[in-house]
Amino acid sequence: MHGGALAGWLLLTLCAVSGAVCLLRARTGPPGERGSARSEAVMAFGMAVMAVPAALLSPPGWAWAVYAALFGVAALRSLRPALRDGCRLHHLVGSLAMVYMAVAMAPGAMGSAGDGGGHLGHGAGGAGGVPLLTGALLVYYAWYVLTSAGRLLPATATVGGALGAPGAEGRGEGGGGGGAGSRSELTDACRLTMGLAMFAMLLTL
């Protein structure tokens, strides 16, 4: 990543952990959520590979085409479901953003000449991408991160405020909604992490 090896390692770790959590959700979650979890796992691991520091691995010049093809197929698969499902619409935006970043990695494409096909942001002076499109994606992911964080904050406040409330022990231990609530919070946290990682990667363009 253009931000340096430390930023690359941090993003790689966050995305890899998110991908592992998504794979776990795909195996143990409700049937209706497993397809979404698999899509998010592919996205997370793709971002992790894209974030590998150049000091560790210098990819071949055609690597961008593999990224573009993989996430182009993912975008096509998300196209029809995105018309009726907001979560799949987010997957579609994410897949298209990955295609966009992959094309920006291409040697000589969008101002990244002289890169030789390195990882995202390693072009000449880190230049790459279309400023207007990059800005629109940054705005979208900033909004997504804020709304995802907003879904987590009330739950945290409720738990903290309910410690001394009558009946709090029963709700926390056995009521039957705790597992679903914890799973939902884990999903939101995973998506928040991936949104932050995407925002950071777009900043390198």
Side-chain angles (χ1 to χ4, degrees):
M1 301 293 291
H2 181 57
L6 180 59
W9 280 114
L10 180 59
L11 283 172
L12 186 155
T13 302
L14 288 174
C15 293
V17 170
S18 295
V21 171
C22 291
L23 282 181
L24 182 63
R25 286 170 45 219
R27 291 189 60 186
T28 63
E33 296 181 6
R34 292 180 183 178
S36 177
R38 285 192 291 269
S39 297
E40 289 170 0
V42 171
M43 178 72 66
F45 286 125
M47 292 167 64
V49 173
M50 191 177 281
V52 172
L56 177 66
L57 177 66
S58 182
W62 45 261
W64 70 272
V66 176
Y67 287 119
L70 174 63
F71 288 101
V73 171
L76 289 175
R77 286 174 57 87
S78 299
L79 190 56
R80 182 175 295 178
L83 299 177
R84 58 181 184 272
D85 184 350
C87 185
R88 291 304 181 104
L89 179 60
H90 175 69
H91 292 166
L92 175 61
V93 173
S95 296
L96 292 175
M98 291 293 285
V99 172
Y100 170 61
M101 289 191 293
V103 173
M105 291 167 54
M110 291 194 248
S112 59
D115 181 22
H119 276 192
L120 188 65
H122 292 306
V130 180
L132 185 60
L133 182 53
T134 302
L137 287 170
L138 284 170
V139 169
Y140 171 79
Y141 277 100
W143 169 82
Y144 182 79
V145 166
L146 290 174
T147 54
S148 297
R151 285 193 294 269
L152 289 170
L153 289 176
T156 304
T158 300
V159 171
L163 290 177
E169 296 179 3
R171 288 194 302 270
E173 293 181 7
S182 299
R183 185 166 57 245
S184 176
E185 290 174 11
L186 180 62
T187 300
D188 285 340
C190 182
R191 290 171 178 169
L192 171 63
T193 300
M194 291 173 61
L196 283 169
M198 184 68 82
F199 184 85
M201 294 174 78
L202 286 165
L203 282 176
T204 67
L205 291 182

